[in-house]
Amino acid sequence: MRLAVIGIGPGDARYLTAEALEALRGSEVVAGYPLYLELIADIIRGKVLLQTPMRRETERCRMALDAASAGRTTALVCSGDAGVYGMAGLVYELAPQYPDVEIVVIPGITAALGGAALLGAPLGHDFAVISLSDLLTPWETIRSRLVSAAQGGFVICLYNPSSKKRRDYAARACRILLDHLREETVCAVVRNAGRVGETVRVTTLARLKDEETDMFTTLFIGNSSTKVINGKMVTPRGYGGYGGA
Ligand code: SAH
């Protein structure tokens, strides 16, 4: 039977693609982290829900694969895109143990893109996405990616900037970036994009380390051409010599 691994976008059901909506409607069983199931509650009412808490990702994927293997059309939901720090990779790693399950991945709007649209056009040129979570990646690897992205002139999106156990990580990353980028580099903080409590702030790299961040926040660090135009964060691509790089 089929398991659809679905990215639901950054916020509530408005951010679903038509394909994701169709797949959810066509599923008997929906698995996911409780908060995400809540965001799409109206669509999945009456379906069998399989919920597991944070950090129980392998168990969640197995439950979904088991349900599909038992003959029930199943959806496994992730926030944003299912392949960006999501479950899609883990499902494929487990898939050889479930040869009868057909897996499809349905793309969603990742936090970087949802947040970028709120900010203006910060990702108009090359950009890098880096997660500050060192649960699965050693901090030294994260540090060297931050340095490489800064040296390469990429706009940088930071996912998982901090959590209760990693309170100072965003500030640590800012200090590393300040060794390579100007203090006045345009930066932004997007929290709860598309959800209740959505906030957007544009600031500078010097000030970014003092911003409140949590696990629902994405940080944006501009490149040397990123500017603020009418309050919006814009990274020019350079069309027509209107001042961009
Ligand atoms: N698969 C998700 C990312 C999961 S990692 C995606 O593609 O978006 C979790 C991180 O994503 C959070 O720590 C935060 O940095 C970012 N994020 C997810 N949803 C967000 C939202 N609504 N607003 C701001 N950042 C968000």
Side-chain angles (χ1 to χ4, degrees):
M1 213 17 112
R2 188 175 105 141
L3 172 61
V5 189
I6 301 176
I8 63 167
D12 65 30
R14 282 173 301 162
Y15 297 90
L16 285 176
T17 65
E19 187 187 20
L21 185 60
E22 193 183 319
L24 282 172
R25 289 203 171 126
S27 296
E28 268 180 271
V29 177
V30 182
Y33 177 59
L35 174 73
Y36 306 147
L37 297 183
E38 187 90 353
L39 289 168
I40 52 167
D42 288 346
I43 295 164
I44 58 176
R45 191 151 290 136
K47 299 189 184 289
V48 178
L49 302 184
L50 302 176
Q51 316 196 24
T52 66
M54 221 48 151
R55 304 274 178 90
R56 306 279 280 277
E57 285 79 13
T58 308
E59 190 184 328
R60 198 179 310 151
C61 291
R62 279 198 184 285
M63 282 164 80
L65 283 158
D66 284 334
S69 184
R72 312 174 90 177
T73 309
T74 304
L76 172 60
V77 301
C78 299
S79 78
D81 181 85
V84 179
Y85 312 121
M87 305 283 92
L90 181 51
V91 166
Y92 277 112
E93 287 181 79
L94 296 168
Q97 298 165 39
Y98 297 85
D100 51 333
V101 177
E102 180 207 348
I103 297 162
V104 292
V105 176
I106 297 177
I109 303 169
T110 190
L113 304 187
L118 294 172
L119 288 168
L123 308 181
H125 212 299
D126 301 338
F127 67 97
V129 175
I130 300 174
S131 166
L132 294 190
S133 170
D134 62 354
L135 283 177
L136 304 171
T137 306
W139 178 257
E140 273 317 304
T141 304
I142 297 170
R143 172 199 294 278
S144 93
R145 288 180 185 165
L146 288 167
V147 171
S148 300
Q151 288 177 337
F154 291 93
V155 174
I156 304 170
C157 299
L158 296 180
Y159 282 46
N160 298 304
S162 59
S163 69
K164 281 189 192 125
K165 289 196 177 140
R166 301 183 293 105
R167 275 195 190 287
D168 63 330
Y169 279 37
R172 267 205 231 176
C174 289
R175 283 193 286 271
I176 294 166
L177 293 171
L178 274 168
D179 287 341
H180 305 275
L181 303 173
R182 290 178 300 125
E183 289 200 333
E184 52 290 3
T185 302
V186 178
C187 291
V189 183
V190 176
R191 185 160 185 267
N192 281 318
R195 300 181 190 165
V196 175
E198 175 183 280
T199 57
V200 171
R201 279 173 61 80
V202 177
T203 182
T204 62
L205 184 54
R207 295 211 179 110
L208 188 62
K209 61 182 180 314
D210 302 319
E211 291 283 339
E212 283 274 325
T213 60
D214 62 12
M215 57 185 293
F216 303 113
T217 308
T218 300
L219 302 181
F220 291 74
I221 294 102
N223 69 16
S224 58
S225 344
T226 304
K227 51 179 106 182
V228 181
I229 304 176
N230 290 339
K232 296 293 184 181
M233 180 177 180
V234 179
T235 302
R237 193 168 177 214
Y239 292 109
Y242 291 109

